Amino acid sequence: MIDPKIKKIAILTGGGDCPGLNAVIRAITKTAILKHNLEVIGYRFGYRGLYQNDFIKLDAASVSGIQHIGGTILYSSNKDNLFDYEVVENGKKVRKDMSHVAIKNMKKEGVDVLIVIGGDGTLTSARDFARKGVKVIGVPKTIDNDLDYTEYTFGFMTAIDIATEAIDRLHTTAESHHRIMILEVMGRNAGWIALHSGIAGTADVILIPEIPYDINKIAQKFKDREKRGKLFSIVVIAEGAKATGGEAIVKHIVKDSPDPIRLGGVGFKLAMDLEPIVTEHEIRTTVLGHIQRGGSPSTFDRILSTRYGVAAVEMIEENRFGNMVCLQNEKMTHVHLENIVGRQKLVDPQGELVKIARNVGISFGD
Ligand code: F6P
C-alpha cells in the first residue's frame, strides 16, 4: 500500500523523444489511478514545465489511446537544467540554480512524488532534486541503450527494427547497382544500434565508437567480398564512430543545451575517404537520423514501457525514492540515482555480440 500521505504524483519527460514514452506515461497514470487512487499531473516540456508550473492533469481519458503513438504527449526539452538555468537579471542573461522555483511549484500544487523519465542529463537533475529532499523516481530512456545498470531501455528495439529495415532496403539497391552503401545510425558513444541492426540486417562492415576503424581494412573487406563474387557491400556506421587516431564528426553545437554537441556526418566522411581507394564501386551514404526515434513503438517496447511504468509506481509503494527503475536479468528492479550518473554502458569489443558478428564474417574495420 502507498503511504496515505501521498496523494498526488507528477510525471515529466526530458531529453530526446523515444518510442514508448507515451506507453510509460499511460502505465504510470493508469496504475496510480486504478490501483492507488492517486491524482496525477504531467509537467510539459520536461523541467521547463516544472519551472514555469506548466502542467496538465492526467486521467484515464487523457492517457487513453496513446500506447501505440510515438513521441510524448507531455512534450520534452533537452535544454532545461534547472540547476544551471539561464535567467535574465537586471537586463543581463545569467546562469543560476533555479531548482528552488521548481520545488516551490511542486509544493504549491501538492505534488508528493515526481517521476522523471529521461536519459543521462535528465536523470542527473533527478538525482539533484532527490538530494534536495524531493521524492523522485527515475525511469531510464534512450534509444541508444547506453545507460548503465539496465539491460534494455524502451525505444531501443524499435530503433533497431527501423535500422534493420533500412539495411534490408539498402541491400536490394546496393546489389542492383554493385555499390557500396553506407548507413549512418545514431549512437554518440555507444554502438548498440549499429551493432544490433548490422547483425540483423547482415551488414558486411559495422563501425562503432568503441572500435576505431582503419579505412584500408574496410577497403580490404570489399576486395575479399569481390573475390567471392559479391560486388556490393553494406556498411553500418554509428554517428560516434571514428578512425584510429581520429575524432568524432560534430554536426552542430546546440549552444543552450547542457550537452551541446550533436554528431553527424561520419557516413559522408567515410564515403569521401573510401572513394580514392575503392575506385571500382560507387559509394552512397544514407543518414537515418530521427526516423529511428520517431513513430510507433514495437510490440516489445510497448510491453517494456508498461513494465517500466508499473514498476515506477511500485517504487512509490516500496518507498524507494531517489532510485531509478531498471531491467536486470530480465526482471524489473532498481538502482540508486547516485550510482547511475555519468555511467555509460558501452559495447564490449571482446563481448559476445562482437564475437558472433566476427564469426559470421562481419568486419569492424580493425
Ligand atoms: O540520445 C539519443 C540521441 O538520439 C543520440 O543518438 C543523438 O545524437 C541525439 O539524441 C540527437 O538528439 P537531438 O537531435 O534531438 O538533439
Side-chain angles (χ1 to χ4, degrees):
M1 208 183 92
I2 284 184
D3 178 347
K5 287 203 283 294
I6 294 175
K7 300 205 180 315
K8 190 169 183 174
I9 67 168
I11 309 171
L12 67 80
T13 53
D17 73 328
C18 182
L21 277 170
N22 282 329
V24 180
I25 295 167
R26 174 183 178 271
I28 294 171
T29 306
K30 288 219 169 209
T31 311
I33 294 172
L34 299 177
K35 189 168 174 212
H36 302 289
N37 206 21
L38 296 174
E39 253 189 273
V40 189
I41 63 166
Y43 286 106
R44 294 170 8 119
F45 296 102
Y47 288 115
R48 193 195 318 163
L50 202 53
Y51 179 71
Q52 296 175 340
N53 209 25
D54 177 8
F55 63 86
I56 55 168
K57 186 177 163 51
L58 293 174
D59 53 22
S62 54
V63 299
S64 172
I66 63 167
Q67 168 138 297
H68 64 291
I69 298 172
T72 160
I73 59 162
L74 294 178
Y75 309 118
S76 192
S77 160
N78 53 9
K79 292 183 179 172
D80 301 278
N81 175 6
L82 301 184
F83 292 86
D84 181 30
Y85 203 52
E86 189 180 280
V87 285
V88 179
E89 264 183 8
N90 304 323
K92 269 196 187 153
K93 283 183 184 170
V94 287
R95 300 197 79 86
K96 289 178 73 171
D97 178 352
M98 298 304 285
S99 57
H100 58 281
V101 176
I103 294 173
K104 211 173 85 197
N105 285 339
M106 279 190 276
K107 280 209 177 110
K108 195 170 92 191
E109 298 308 326
V111 171
D112 302 302
V113 178
L114 178 66
I115 300 182
V116 171
I117 312 169
D120 200 26
T122 309
L123 293 172
T124 303
S125 288
R127 178 210 54 188
D128 295 340
F129 276 113
R131 282 182 178 174
K132 291 188 101 173
V134 178
K135 289 189 166 76
V136 183
I137 306 286
V139 178
K141 175 246 37 148
T142 162
I143 61 156
D144 293 352
N145 203 35
D146 60 353
L147 282 171
D148 207 0
Y149 291 105
T150 196
E151 273 152 19
Y152 292 108
T153 38
F154 59 87
F156 171 66
M157 291 293 178
T158 306
I160 60 173
D161 281 351
I162 296 166
T164 302
E165 194 201 331
I167 299 168
D168 290 347
R169 288 177 185 275
L170 290 174
H171 233 112
T172 53
T173 172
E175 198 161 2
S176 305
H177 291 271
H178 289 179
R179 279 178 178 160
I180 308 295
M181 295 301 240
I182 298 171
L183 177 69
E184 180 182 314
V185 295
M186 283 183 173
R188 279 174 290 180
N189 305 301
W192 295 111
I193 296 178
L195 180 60
H196 281 249
S197 63
I199 294 172
T202 66
D204 306 297
V205 179
I206 298 175
L207 304 174
I208 58 174
E210 295 88 341
I211 306 177
Y213 62 80
D214 174 340
I215 196 88
N216 296 308
K217 298 264 173 66
I218 301 171
Q220 188 55 50
K221 171 71 185 172
F222 303 153
K223 290 221 167 67
D224 294 345
R225 278 175 56 76
E226 259 172 46
K227 277 186 210 140
R228 289 186 287 111
K230 297 283 190 185
L231 303 175
F232 68 95
S233 288
I234 305 280
V235 181
V236 183
I237 184 165
E239 62 187 349
K242 18 187 172 335
T244 310
E247 293 294 327
I249 308 294
V250 176
K251 190 170 162 211
H252 50 246
I253 304 281
V254 183
K255 272 200 200 119
D256 47 352
S257 167
D259 191 2
I261 290 175
R262 295 293 179 275
L263 301 181
V266 70
F268 292 108
K269 159 121 181 47
L270 181 67
M272 254 170 53
D273 293 345
L274 281 169
E275 261 155 19
I277 320 174
V278 187
T279 46
E280 58 286 4
H281 296 284
E282 283 190 61
I283 306 175
R284 294 287 187 271
T285 300
T286 303
V287 180
L288 202 49
H290 294 81
I291 287 171
Q292 69 210 284
R293 229 167 72 177
S296 292
S298 65
T299 314
F300 181 92
D301 278 335
R302 294 178 198 193
I303 295 168
L304 185 60
S305 300
T306 305
R307 292 177 74 192
Y308 271 113
V310 171
V313 180
E314 269 166 17
M315 304 257 287
I316 305 177
E317 251 184 298
E318 293 164 10
N319 279 313
R320 292 192 197 280
F321 303 110
N323 278 267
M324 177 189 92
V325 281
C326 57
L327 184 74
Q328 278 174 17
N329 301 318
E330 287 295 317
K331 288 203 168 58
M332 296 312 299
T333 177
H334 51 88
V335 57
H336 206 280
L337 285 167
E338 290 288 348
N339 297 334
I340 59 119
V341 168
R343 290 183 60 104
Q344 274 182 333
K345 185 182 65 191
L346 301 180
V347 173
D348 175 2
Q350 313 302 332
E352 194 219 341
L353 271 190
V354 173
K355 273 190 194 145
I356 67 146
R358 289 193 199 277
N359 283 348
V360 295
I362 296 173
S363 161
F364 286 84
D366 60 339

